[in-house]
Amino acid sequence: MRIAMIGSGYVGLVSGACFADFGHDVICVDKAADKIAALKEGRIPIFEPGLDELVASNVEAGRLSFSTELAEPVAWADVVFIGVGTPSRRGDGHADLSYVFAAAREIARSMQGFTVVVTKSTVPVGTGDEVERIILQERPNADFAVVSNPEFLREGAAIDDFKRPDRIVVGLEDERARDVMSEVYRPLYLNSAPLLFTQRRTSELIKYAANAFLAMKITFINEIADLCESVGANVQEVSRGIGLDNRIGSKFLHAGPGYGGSCFPKDTLALVKTAQDSGTPVRLIEATVAINDTRKRAMARKVVAACGGDVRGKTIAILGLTFKPNTDDMRDAPSLAIIQALQDLGARVKAYDPEGMAHAKHLLDPSVVYATGPYDCAEGADALVIVTEWNQFRALDLRRLGEVMAKPILVDLRNIYARDDVERLGFSYTGIGTSTRR
Ligand code: NAD
């Protein structure tokens, strides 16, 4: 199959490289000239484990190339994927579909022969209908089918998720697209990943329902964590105790500072807006969004409490800025709200993240001081706050930390340390949902 991937970000580049690895011929297109220039020089513009080797080997094999121009790849392709961003629209929280619609308009002008146009971007119900309408408006005689094929990969484990998905969802109205999509994903369903064909609108909704459910599950355990703190229970044991029930499952039951990232915040909000517009509000998700929004700043209050009620003039060391480990993605990371809240309360902030600092510098107040490593970050700090559970933060030399810090206070927003181990070394320890009562 000849595949053009429009948009070469976290999803487009990973999907394009994986499709090439399946044996398809792929051209990844992006408007961002710097991204394409980097890719052409063999540099990967994002941090995603394993992506550099995957891209290099498929470029080497002649199956993967890059372009800033859409017209030629689209004319050449059998299948055109739209993998552009769908951020929250400023002001009202609906998904901003302007990039998707602009891409659709451009695709329409260049398509040749029967072309399957696939939205891989996360788009609200009915977007496929609108993409179809736009293409027909531009090219009334075009021969094409519009398909929905949402992506479920997770940053940090994206290649493995793409190659070993739990399921592949394909929504279509035109049966001619079924064979094409089956061919695109043949290597995967031969390995038994279920290929689920649905109507297009159903497929679009599956993506939002999946993300909303996961966001709700995280928010559920976060509220239970708060309850654990007030009644003297331990949320990690509660998680284990309920997660062993197969009907519940153990994943996404880790209490923390609230969900963030490039998907859950915007997708839950967009679902809320879609549901309100259609007169069928989804109250569980409305509550999820509201609870999560207030949680991040509430984490700053935890730090204040750990510091004895005041952080004014104190130095707070933050370990981890990205919304989760193994990515450089800073979009909607909880660290942003937590640091802002600490600064609002008069704290000085030092921070360290293995991959996120370059992006963070554009998003955080310039007064934040960036460290070269965890111990450098902790130097002279009145408290150390673990915000993101990078592996390298899981086995810190606590004695050494205690020696360089001004005060031995650890606030562990990911529960990666055991209270007893930390307290034994003279630290005061604050976790999430782990009561001090015995
Ligand atoms: P991203 O911002 O990393 O990448 C989008 C890219 O599209 C950018 O590089 C941008 O320059 C490019 N672009 C925009 N308009 C273009 C056009 N007309 N022609 C060519 N290129 C264009 O975004 P992302 O994280 O890859 O997300 C893309 C979509 O996939 C979103 O809808 C997102 O919700 C969804 N998604 C993301 C993830 C994830 O983990 N990041 C997972 C599943 C689904």
Side-chain angles (χ1 to χ4, degrees), residues 101 104-105 108 130-139:
F101 294 155
R105 225 165 268 122
E130 187 60 15
V131 167
E132 196 170 285
R133 195 192 62 73
I134 288 170
I135 296 176
L136 275 177
Q137 191 180 37
E138 290 286 327
R139 286 273 299 277

Side-chain angles (χ1 to χ4, degrees), residues 58-79:
N58 284 286
V59 168
E60 173 82 28
R63 290 189 296 262
L64 179 62
S65 59
F66 308 100
S67 174
T68 49
E69 295 303 323
L70 186 147
E72 265 186 43
V74 167
W76 160 89
D78 306 304
V79 189

Side-chain angles (χ1 to χ4, degrees), residues 5-13 29-33 35 46 67-68 70 82-87 98-100 102-104 106 120-123 150-156 158 207-208 211 262-263 266-267 323-324 329 331:
M5 180 64 67
I6 312 304
S8 305
Y10 289 87
V11 161
L13 185 57
V29 178
D30 205 292
K31 290 267 179 239
K35 278 191 189 172
I46 55 170
S67 174
T68 49
L70 186 147
I82 300 176
V84 301
T86 50
S98 56
Y99 303 101
V100 173
E106 275 196 79
K120 197 161 242 331
S121 301
T122 302
V123 292
E151 182 49 55
F152 298 97
L153 64 76
R154 294 162 302 169
E155 288 172 18
K207 174 65 189 177
Y208 281 97
N211 273 1
S262 61
C263 290
K266 78 173 176 64
D267 292 347
F323 79 100
K324 66 173 175 182
D329 200 341
R331 287 177 282 186

Side-chain angles (χ1 to χ4, degrees), residues 163-179:
K163 291 192 166 182
R164 272 174 281 277
D166 292 337
R167 77 306 206 187
I168 302 151
V169 176
V170 176
L172 45 81
E173 304 298 325
D174 181 335
E175 282 302 316
R176 292 178 300 167
R178 186 185 287 258
D179 290 345

Side-chain angles (χ1 to χ4, degrees), residues 140-161:
N141 299 320
D143 189 15
F144 69 102
V146 175
V147 170
S148 158
N149 170 221
E151 182 49 55
F152 298 97
L153 64 76
R154 294 162 302 169
E155 288 172 18
I159 296 169
D160 203 50
D161 282 352

